[in-house]
């Protein structure tokens, strides 16, 4: 590969291919691709599709994996999200790399749709993909991963996409810059959040030092935030299970950690409701998003790729997006935050009879 880093949308049925997807994402990251997919978002409702659509707009290629299932179906269109993603990618001119399981009849019943209607939709979808694209057929995980990596290398050279380029390598179009770092300084971010006139945070676990953030927000010497809005992952939700797997920990420990990080924010929010507002969502975001003073010319965003699989946060890219240098990308992430804020909900603390944590 050249200096570009390509973002690849992986479209498949998550329940079908969870082990394969983990392998694919691992090797994509090793080869300097940025993987993205629907599993990071709530998979129902119009807002979910809008979020997926906007994510596809930022991707360079779509890897389509079809096996025994048709996929989760959108009630409004009657199509699976996988087929909707495929249709949208073709409409937008995003290069699609289709990988179809060679012998679906050989798959175990647990990985195949038993509903005749879903089977027919799956078969029709496969025929549509085959009619528009050159497909690669696979029958084991190792073969699938190897075919995907090999095919991406070929297609990147044959059909080079826009990609992402480090700002120290070249300027982007119209003198726009994306500044890249590889270390997330929570002390610096908390200080900026406390001093900002207006700030937004959209994150998996907010910050590693939420108590420090609360202390800074009530410190009279640095008191400056008129409004700070935070969207946090709901510790009670199903996404906690995925977060625990990502961290190599247990559901109970992750629930406790996120609940303990959320507690001081909720306490301070009740004391300063106009300055600090907190909502939660049952989601596993691919990044942590920090927006500072969005209505001013000096507005900036820090985008931390939490889905970048490394042993520590230091190895995960941190993008600094300046509004004055990259207004279109800044506007996209600000708009995405507002959409998510509108569907997020207040956290109501209810103790669990099973775990005693929540």
């Amino acid at each position: 590969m050249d200096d570009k880093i390509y973002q690849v949308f992986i479209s498949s049925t998550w329940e079908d291919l969870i082990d394969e997807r983990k392998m694919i994402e691992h090797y994509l990251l090793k080869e300097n691709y940025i993987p993205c997919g629907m599993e990071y978002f709530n998979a129902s409702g119009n807002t979910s599709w809008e979020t997926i659509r906007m994510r596809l707009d930022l991707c360079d290629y779509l890897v389509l994996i079809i096996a025994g299932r048709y996929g989760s179906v959108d009630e409004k269109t009657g199509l699976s999200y996988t087929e909707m993603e495929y249709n949208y990618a073709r409409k937008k001119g995003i290069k699609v790399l289709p990988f179809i399981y060679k012998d679906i009849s050989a798959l175990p019943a647990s990985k195949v749709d038993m509903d005749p209607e879903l089977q027919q939709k799956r078969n029709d979808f496969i025929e549509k993909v085959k009619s528009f694209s050159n497909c690669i057929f696979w029958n084991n995980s190792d073969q699938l991963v190897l075919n995907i990596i090999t095919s991406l290398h070929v297609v990147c050279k044959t059909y080079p996409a826009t990609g992402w380029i480090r700002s120290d390598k070249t300027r982007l179009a119209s003198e726009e810059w994306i500044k890249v770092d590889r270390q997330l300084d929570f002390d610096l971010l908390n200080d900026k959040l406390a001093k900002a006139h207006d700030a937004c945070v959209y994150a998996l676990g907010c910050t590693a030092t939420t108590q420090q953030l609360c202390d800074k927000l009530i410190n009279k010497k640095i008191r400056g935030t008129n409004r700070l809005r935070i969207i946090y992952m709901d510790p009670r939700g199903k996404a906690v299970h995925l977060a625990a797997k990502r961290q190599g920990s247990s559901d109970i420990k992750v629930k406790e950690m996120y609940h303990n990080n959320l507690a001081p924010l909720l306490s301070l929010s009740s004391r300063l409701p106009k300055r600090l507002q907190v909502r939660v969502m049952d989601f596993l975001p691919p990044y942590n998003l920090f927006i500072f003073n969005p209505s001013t010319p000096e507005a900036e965003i820090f985008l931390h790729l939490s889905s970048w699989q490394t042993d520590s946060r230091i190895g995960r890219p941190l993008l600094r997006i300046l509004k004055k240098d990259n207004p279109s990308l800044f506007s996209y992430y600000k708009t995405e935050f507002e959409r998510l804020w509108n569907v997020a909900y207040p956290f109501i603390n209810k103790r669990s009879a099973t775990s005693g944590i929540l």
Side-chain angles (χ1 to χ4, degrees):
M1 283 181 60
D2 54 20
D3 288 336
K4 289 183 180 179
I5 297 177
Y6 293 107
Q7 186 158 299
V8 180
F9 195 102
I10 305 171
S11 181
S12 70
T13 306
W14 174 256
E15 293 83 3
D16 260 8
L17 301 164
I18 186 168
D19 293 332
E20 288 84 351
R21 288 193 67 129
K22 288 169 63 177
M23 291 177 60
I24 293 164
E25 291 176 358
H26 172 73
Y27 282 101
L28 284 178
L29 289 166
K30 284 186 68 175
E31 296 295 322
N32 287 329
Y33 295 100
I34 301 176
C36 179
M38 176 182 168
E39 76 278 2
Y40 296 121
F41 312 109
N42 188 330
S44 63
N46 293 334
T47 300
S48 297
W49 171 244
E50 286 298 309
T51 303
I52 293 168
R53 180 185 60 78
M54 289 188 291
R55 182 65 57 200
L56 273 167
D57 286 339
L58 288 177
C59 286
D60 300 293
Y61 303 100
L62 182 139
V63 168
L64 175 66
I65 305 170
I66 304 177
R69 297 188 184 275
Y70 177 58
S72 301
V73 175
D74 174 52
E75 294 181 2
K76 185 177 180 180
T77 64
L79 299 176
S80 70
Y81 282 95
T82 304
E83 185 166 1
M84 290 169 65
E85 291 160 358
Y86 171 76
N87 292 342
Y88 187 77
R90 290 193 65 245
K91 178 182 176 181
K92 295 291 290 185
I94 299 171
K95 189 66 177 177
V96 178
L97 289 74
F99 300 86
I100 302 175
Y101 197 83
K102 190 173 184 178
D103 186 7
I104 291 176
S105 63
L107 286 170
S110 61
K111 292 193 174 185
V112 179
D113 282 322
M114 304 307 294
D115 186 315
E117 181 179 354
L118 291 178
Q119 289 180 359
Q120 186 61 51
K121 286 187 173 183
R122 179 202 63 206
N123 294 339
D124 291 344
F125 180 34
I126 290 174
E127 291 304 314
K128 178 170 72 173
V129 173
K130 289 166 65 177
S131 68
F132 286 110
S133 309
N134 292 324
C135 304
I136 295 177
F137 297 89
W138 60 281
N139 55 20
N140 66 71
S141 301
D142 292 338
Q143 182 186 51
L144 175 63
V145 174
L146 178 61
N147 285 339
I148 288 175
I149 297 299
T150 303
S151 299
L152 274 172
H153 283 324
V154 172
V155 80
C156 287
K157 292 181 179 180
T158 309
Y159 304 96
T162 302
W164 300 81
I165 304 176
R166 285 182 58 94
S167 61
D168 60 352
K169 297 294 183 182
T170 184
R171 285 187 179 271
L172 302 179
S174 303
E175 299 298 305
E176 293 180 345
W177 284 81
I178 298 178
K179 298 184 178 179
V180 181
D181 195 359
R182 285 185 176 272
Q183 184 171 359
L184 187 60
D185 187 335
F186 284 111
D187 185 62
L188 172 65
L189 287 174
N190 283 337
D191 199 46
K192 289 174 70 68
L193 289 171
K195 292 180 179 179
H197 175 77
D198 184 14
C200 312
V201 176
Y202 160 67
L204 167 65
C206 191
T207 74
T209 53
T210 51
Q211 186 59 58
Q212 180 198 65
L213 172 60
C214 291
D215 292 342
K216 290 190 175 186
L217 287 172
I218 60 178
N219 188 326
K220 293 182 179 180
K221 293 183 179 179
I222 61 173
R223 189 167 184 171
T225 305
N226 287 343
R227 184 176 66 160
L228 169 58
R229 292 180 292 163
I230 296 176
I231 304 175
Y232 192 94
M233 190 178 79
D234 193 336
R236 307 159 301 187
K238 295 181 179 179
V240 168
H241 175 68
L242 293 176
K245 294 195 71 172
R246 174 185 288 180
Q247 298 176 27
S249 183
S250 69
D251 290 9
I252 295 296
K253 288 183 179 179
V254 171
K255 284 182 180 181
E256 184 175 12
M257 178 181 67
Y258 288 159
H259 182 267
N260 290 341
N261 283 346
L262 183 58
L265 293 172
L266 294 173
S267 176
L268 185 60
S269 178
S270 64
R271 293 170 51 193
L272 305 171
K274 292 184 178 180
R275 293 191 63 210
L276 177 61
Q277 299 167 29
V278 181
R279 296 182 183 179
V280 296
M281 288 183 65
D282 184 15
F283 74 124
L284 182 64
Y287 55 75
N288 298 310
L289 178 66
F290 303 86
I291 307 175
F292 301 98
N293 302 316
S295 61
T296 68
E298 293 75 27
E300 60 184 337
I301 284 176
F302 286 89
L303 186 70
H304 186 232
L305 299 181
S306 58
S307 60
W308 197 277
Q309 298 298 311
T310 64
D311 293 333
S312 68
R313 292 186 178 90
I314 295 177
R316 299 171 183 170
L318 174 67
L319 310 181
R320 180 173 178 243
I321 304 169
L322 304 180
K323 181 179 180 180
K324 62 182 179 180
D325 291 336
N326 201 329
S328 58
L329 193 57
F330 183 95
S331 177
Y332 163 73
Y333 283 111
K334 179 61 169 63
T335 300
E336 184 173 71
F337 176 87
E338 296 297 342
R339 289 177 183 273
L340 293 170
W341 180 259
N342 289 333
V343 298
Y345 44 88
F347 181 89
I348 300 175
N349 190 9
K350 294 182 179 179
R351 298 190 65 83
S352 169
T354 57
S355 68
I357 293 172
L358 302 180

